[in-house]
Amino acid sequence: MSFTIIIPARLASTRLPNKPLVDLGGKPMIVRVAERAALSGAERVIVATDHADILAACVRYGIDARMTRADHPSGSDRIAEVAAALQLADDAVVVNVQGDEPLIDPALVAATAALINADTPMATAAHPIETMADMRNPNIVKVVLDKDGRAMYFSRAPIPWHRDSFANATADATADAIADQAVPEGAGTPLRHIGLYAYTNRFLQHYPTLAPSPLENIEALEQLRVLWHRIPIAVHITHGAPAPGIDTPEDLARVRMHF
């Protein structure tokens, strides 16, 4: 299928200054992300940025980049501006690849895009959680699905909570032992959400007009706005954990080992 990748990239970052421009093996990170994303088979890859330095870095390496307003509240709003300027068809598929994912799996991008159809205007991805430490970590977002593989809810809390197995496993264990315990496999295996999104252009343009939901504010999860408005989100399940993204100097040091 045909799809367009738009990568939101803003220069401001509190934990890692000038993050899109950090060096990875001689190239800026945003260039590495775009080059990796292009391996997915996308019709085109475009960087949507708020800063001239990012635009210049992309141009230097032959990456298509577009300037956007600086006041967008989210990456989804930023890519919606670029998609509108491209005058894409309503049913065109747009994929939001995060600008701090230089090791993103191209096959995962393509598989997520392939879930979009006339009845499903948005898609994302997830993978099985293996340890209780991850299950209990509020920085790891969990998702539960319905019988058709669509998201029912996203949360920072440990969902689904396996009442008997989790209770029995933690009753007499120390905190360290609990963290190392494996979670149940098979039906009902907890899933970690991966921050990769695909949309129809029609929905992408509609999204900024949706009223925020109380749940979105409570959990600080933007995708809950979509479910609040009863819009389906398909979820592609991959069985391998994705390569790490870059949020901190420690993350940067780990990822640099791959370049």
Side-chain angles (χ1 to χ4, degrees):
M1 66 175 299
S2 174
F3 59 95
T4 295
I5 293 174
I6 304 180
I7 305 168
R10 64 188 187 93
L11 195 66
S13 174
T14 55
R15 290 182 289 180
L16 187 60
N18 300 327
K19 183 166 69 169
L21 299 177
V22 297
D23 180 81
L24 291 178
K27 293 182 180 180
M29 179 174 68
I30 191 61
V31 172
R32 293 291 189 185
V33 174
E35 290 176 341
R36 185 77 171 167
L39 299 177
S40 66
E43 181 178 355
R44 60 185 132 185
V45 176
I46 301 170
V47 172
T49 184
D50 66 346
H51 202 280
D53 288 353
I54 296 175
L55 180 70
C58 291
V59 170
R60 187 179 313 124
Y61 287 94
I63 303 298
D64 191 356
R66 312 293 173 95
M67 289 295 296
T68 67
R69 300 195 333 253
D71 60 348
H72 284 303
S74 72
S76 299
D77 296 275
R78 192 175 307 284
I79 70 171
E81 179 186 339
V82 171
L86 292 172
Q87 298 183 326
L88 298 177
D90 282 350
D91 61 353
V93 177
V94 179
V95 180
N96 178 349
V97 171
Q98 302 299 312
D100 55 7
E101 297 280 351
L103 300 176
I104 188 74
D105 180 1
L108 179 62
V109 175
T112 302
L115 293 180
I116 299 296
N117 56 50
D119 298 319
T120 309
M122 181 172 174
T124 188
H127 72 88
I129 292 175
E130 296 182 349
T131 68
M132 285 297 295
D134 285 350
M135 188 66 174
R136 291 170 174 267
N137 185 346
N139 294 317
I140 291 178
V141 177
K142 278 69 70 173
V143 59
V144 291
L145 311 182
D146 66 14
K147 67 182 182 62
D148 297 317
R150 293 176 174 179
M152 295 174 63
Y153 192 66
F154 296 86
S155 183
R156 298 182 183 278
I159 58 170
W161 182 263
H162 287 248
R163 185 193 66 174
D164 295 332
S165 59
F166 283 3
N168 293 336
T170 60
D172 300 315
T174 65
D176 288 341
I178 291 171
D180 291 334
Q181 288 170 351
V183 298
E185 296 182 358
T189 298
L191 297 171
R192 176 179 184 168
H193 177 234
I194 300 169
L196 169 70
Y197 298 100
Y199 328 79
T200 62
N201 184 45
R202 179 188 293 107
F203 174 70
L204 181 60
Q205 300 305 322
H206 177 57
Y207 174 81
T209 71
L210 295 175
S213 76
L215 293 173
E216 169 189 0
N217 295 329
I218 291 169
E219 295 256 23
L221 296 175
E222 183 182 341
Q223 63 270 36
L224 289 176
R225 181 185 311 185
V226 180
L227 297 183
W228 177 262
H229 289 277
R230 298 182 178 179
I231 298 167
I233 302 175
V235 181
H236 171 73
I237 305 301
T238 180
H239 292 283
I246 298 176
D247 287 315
T248 67
E250 293 76 18
D251 295 336
L252 177 60
R254 284 192 294 270
V255 171
R256 273 179 170 158
M257 297 173 63
H258 295 269
F259 293 94

